[in-house]
Amino acid sequence: MSVALAVLTSDPNLVRCELHRLEGQVALQGEEGRSNAVGIGAYAQDDVLLRRFPRDANLTLKSLAPPHETEALLFHGRRLPVGLSLEENTQPFRSRRWLFTHQGSLQDFARIRAGLLDEVPDFLKRQIRGETDSEVAFAFFLKRLWETGHADDPRLQAEVVGRLLADTARALSAASARAGAARTSTVNLIATNGFILVATRLGGQPLHYTRLEGTDRCEVCGLTPDTPEMQPGVVAHRRRRSVVVATHLKRPAGWVELAEGTTLAVEADLRVRHLTP
């Protein structure tokens, strides 16, 4: 099963510090072992940047930190089957400001792929370069997003997007069930545009989140409770807040597991809501 990690923070300058706080809490490898398709998306002002990691990379949380400030980042790692292009099938996928990952498997995908694509507008079909069910899931989500007419609006509310993401997951799972799939599909989806973060759990595989509050300690920056307040960075560290979503945990203390069928919607001000059907 693939691994995903997402961070939305109040202070773009402190993402590296927030990742350090997650040491010992989250895992970057799943049950399959070392991933051969690993990517991370982040934001640099108006640009959305994707990085791909070598298949033999020794991943650490530190290595995920971009060399620039960012309001959000989205990581995904998995083992792709032999024959699939790493360049075209490595997540996260991107469309304009939107980043997207899918953890799980859409059962009987080969049988339902053509029918699913028939429901996607041509301009979104042309964006599909790979062969995975995850990229088709992204196109399904984008279709619903563009139908709102506000896909590029930075003021778009997380609750609205979260319900679209949940609807996407249910529609994909239902298509698989109608095709007679013997097993239930796993459709855990995460999406962000750098302003908001949404995640939905469908199919049984765990999905967790936690909130990181401000602190007067930071090993990365060398701050302790005794550091004078006038020293640069002290106030910023105390005020910072972040919400983190993860699929694999090493230590569950302080984390909340999303209930099956629930969607997490994190607004730009980091307010968190649980959405149910």
Side-chain angles (χ1 to χ4, degrees), residues 138-192:
F138 187 27
F140 246 60
F141 168 64
L142 289 173
K143 172 181 179 291
R144 288 162 172 75
L145 192 61
W146 289 112
E147 285 173 348
T148 68
H150 300 284
D152 289 329
D153 188 348
R155 298 167 298 179
L156 187 60
Q157 293 184 339
E159 180 181 355
V160 173
V161 179
R163 295 197 183 281
L164 296 177
L165 194 69
D167 180 57
T168 298
R170 290 192 294 267
L172 292 169
S173 182
S176 178
R178 287 194 301 270
R183 294 185 296 173
T184 301
S185 296
T186 302
V187 197
N188 286 350
L189 308 177
I190 306 174
T192 181

Side-chain angles (χ1 to χ4, degrees), residues 40-44 47-51 66 68-70 72-74 99:
I40 189 165
Y43 297 84
D47 293 326
V48 184
L49 305 179
L50 293 177
R51 285 189 293 156
H68 49 77
E69 64 180 34
T70 183
L73 60 81
L74 187 53
L99 292 170

Side-chain angles (χ1 to χ4, degrees), residues 21-217:
R21 295 172 72 182
L22 298 174
E23 288 286 354
Q25 297 187 49
V26 300
L28 299 182
Q29 294 184 3
E31 300 80 359
E32 298 175 324
R34 180 168 291 187
S35 302
N36 65 355
V38 181
I40 189 165
Y43 297 84
Q45 296 181 352
D46 293 332
D47 293 326
V48 184
L49 305 179
L50 293 177
R51 285 189 293 156
R52 306 290 189 230
F53 291 81
R55 67 176 64 197
D56 58 349
N58 183 21
L59 290 176
T60 63
L61 284 163
K62 181 180 178 180
S63 69
L64 303 187
H68 49 77
E69 64 180 34
T70 183
E71 302 87 349
L73 60 81
L74 187 53
F75 161 85
H76 187 272
R78 66 165 294 187
R79 289 202 65 81
L80 281 176
V82 176
L84 289 188
S85 165
L86 295 178
E87 180 62 30
E88 295 180 348
N89 294 287
T90 296
Q91 301 185 55
F93 298 117
R94 175 209 170 184
S95 178
R96 301 172 76 94
R97 279 194 64 91
W98 287 97
L99 292 170
F100 176 96
T101 66
H102 165 218
Q103 184 222 19
S105 177
L106 190 57
Q107 298 298 314
D108 282 0
F109 175 63
R111 292 173 54 192
I112 65 176
R113 184 178 190 273
L116 293 176
L117 289 177
D118 285 343
E119 300 183 41
V120 176
D122 287 341
F123 79 97
L124 291 177
K125 287 181 188 177
R126 289 193 291 269
Q127 295 185 29
I128 298 176
R129 301 180 58 194
E131 304 169 55
T132 65
D133 53 354
S134 303
E135 196 170 14
V136 173
F138 187 27
F140 246 60
F141 168 64
L142 289 173
K143 172 181 179 291
R144 288 162 172 75
L145 192 61
W146 289 112
E147 285 173 348
T148 68
H150 300 284
D152 289 329
D153 188 348
R155 298 167 298 179
L156 187 60
Q157 293 184 339
E159 180 181 355
V160 173
V161 179
R163 295 197 183 281
L164 296 177
L165 194 69
D167 180 57
T168 298
R170 290 192 294 267
L172 292 169
S173 182
S176 178
R178 287 194 301 270
R183 294 185 296 173
T184 301
S185 296
T186 302
V187 197
N188 286 350
L189 308 177
I190 306 174
T192 181
N193 62 355
F195 302 108
I196 60 175
L197 174 66
V198 292
T200 192
R201 176 186 177 185
L202 188 66
Q205 289 295 324
L207 196 60
H208 315 81
Y209 80 94
T210 191
R211 287 187 272 199
L212 302 179
E213 301 295 340
T215 177
D216 53 12
R217 297 178 181 273

